[in-house]
Amino acid sequence: MFMKNNMTKPARASIISARDLTRVYALGPARVVGVEGIDLDVCAGEMVVIKGNSGSGKSTLLSLLAGLDHFTRGRLSVAGYDLNAISSDQLTRFRRQVVGMVFQSFNLLPTLTVEENICLPALLAGKPERQVQSDALHYCQWLDIESRRDHLPSQLSGGQMQRVAIARALINDPQIILADEPTGNLDSRNGETVMKLLAELNRRWNRTVIIATHSTLADDYATVRICLKDGRLAESICDG
């Protein structure tokens, strides 16, 4: 069902809890730290902006929160799912229903139309086709891409492709939207538009939104700003 407008936000409870979250990659004899010793609590309904330079661990942290990567040590709970002890079936359900991902490179399937790209995650989750198509239409109308529903990604502008990616991330009605450099491939005007859309998801429909970026476009919309440096949480807010 399309998102409902919650006029009064409920009291916020923690939706993400991480303790000593660490991801280390072994590259031959080398030990490369993605993130290390992260302690983090995020309340439901926050718009979190994670800042940091390239290589600071932003994308690694988002991948862990999305269940796309496995941490080396620590504990992580997301929306009631204990990612320390989760079965493969539960992990699949978690990825499809709890989190929605928006990527810098859009990750649209080039041979599918806009509508097909948006509908695919919900159809894979087993939702009725008619309801999925109705929800996709609502999102296309909200995102002003209804006239592009039958177009292929190659026929879209960068801003339009990112709107399709947002609709696809929302089609399973996730509690959490994770956006990894969502404006990285966009000009400043389209980047600002995409950021306003993500902020509207947060403000109007009380979605928890977590954005990893080195851009300043998200700063004014953040309810929480954190900084990563060399894979660790920095004590001070960073600008880049």
Side-chain angles (χ1 to χ4, degrees):
M1 187 175 182
F2 193 52
M3 297 175 295
K4 295 180 180 179
N5 187 349
N6 295 323
M7 298 303 293
T8 302
K9 290 186 177 182
R12 292 177 176 178
S14 178
I15 195 169
I16 294 172
S17 179
R19 293 293 178 271
D20 192 32
L21 190 65
T22 299
R23 179 62 166 110
V24 178
Y25 302 94
L27 298 178
R31 177 181 179 271
V32 179
V33 175
V35 294
E36 186 169 21
I38 299 291
D39 291 334
L40 180 66
D41 290 293
V42 175
C43 291
E46 297 284 8
M47 184 161 178
V48 181
V49 174
I50 304 173
K51 303 299 290 292
N53 295 323
S54 296
S56 62
K58 303 187 302 298
S59 294
T60 298
L61 179 56
L62 251 63
S63 292
L64 294 174
L65 296 179
L68 298 175
D69 194 6
H70 301 286
F71 42 96
T72 306
R73 72 168 188 268
R75 299 195 64 83
L76 177 61
S77 174
V78 180
Y81 283 80
D82 181 356
L83 297 189
N84 299 73
I86 190 171
S87 69
S88 58
D89 288 344
Q90 288 174 322
L91 185 58
T92 297
R93 191 178 311 117
F94 171 82
R95 290 169 177 166
R96 286 180 177 171
Q97 299 178 1
V98 176
V99 294
M101 285 291 299
V102 179
F103 301 92
Q104 175 180 350
S105 57
F106 317 128
N107 285 14
L108 302 179
L109 295 177
T111 59
L112 298 185
T113 66
V114 164
E115 183 175 28
E116 290 168 340
N117 266 285
I118 294 170
C119 291
L120 183 60
L123 296 176
L124 290 174
K127 294 186 177 182
E129 183 175 1
R130 182 172 296 180
Q131 182 61 55
V132 171
Q133 290 175 336
S134 176
D135 289 346
L137 174 59
H138 281 298
Y139 288 123
C140 285
Q141 290 171 337
W142 173 58
L143 292 164
D144 195 25
I145 51 174
E146 182 182 2
S147 64
R148 299 288 186 171
R149 287 166 58 203
D150 295 326
H151 287 64
L152 296 173
S154 61
Q155 298 171 303
L156 306 178
S157 68
Q160 289 168 339
M161 283 192 283
Q162 196 59 292
R163 291 175 188 228
V164 176
I166 291 172
R168 181 188 56 191
L170 293 171
I171 195 65
N172 278 329
D173 199 29
Q175 299 177 55
I176 303 169
I177 300 295
L178 302 172
D180 191 3
E181 296 287 3
T183 64
N185 283 335
L186 304 178
D187 58 35
S188 58
R189 181 177 62 84
N190 280 306
E192 180 66 29
T193 298
V194 165
M195 206 56 66
K196 286 180 178 178
L197 291 171
L198 292 172
E200 185 175 359
L201 287 174
N202 172 255
R203 304 297 200 268
R204 188 174 178 186
W205 288 297
N206 201 31
R207 297 300 172 98
T208 304
V209 178
I210 302 178
I211 302 170
T213 183
H214 64 268
S215 168
T216 60
L217 288 172
D219 291 355
D220 290 342
Y221 302 106
T223 60
V224 175
R225 285 181 65 196
I226 62 175
C227 177
L228 284 178
K229 184 177 181 180
D230 299 328
R232 290 182 171 272
L233 289 178
E235 293 183 2
S236 59
I237 297 298
C238 54
D239 297 322

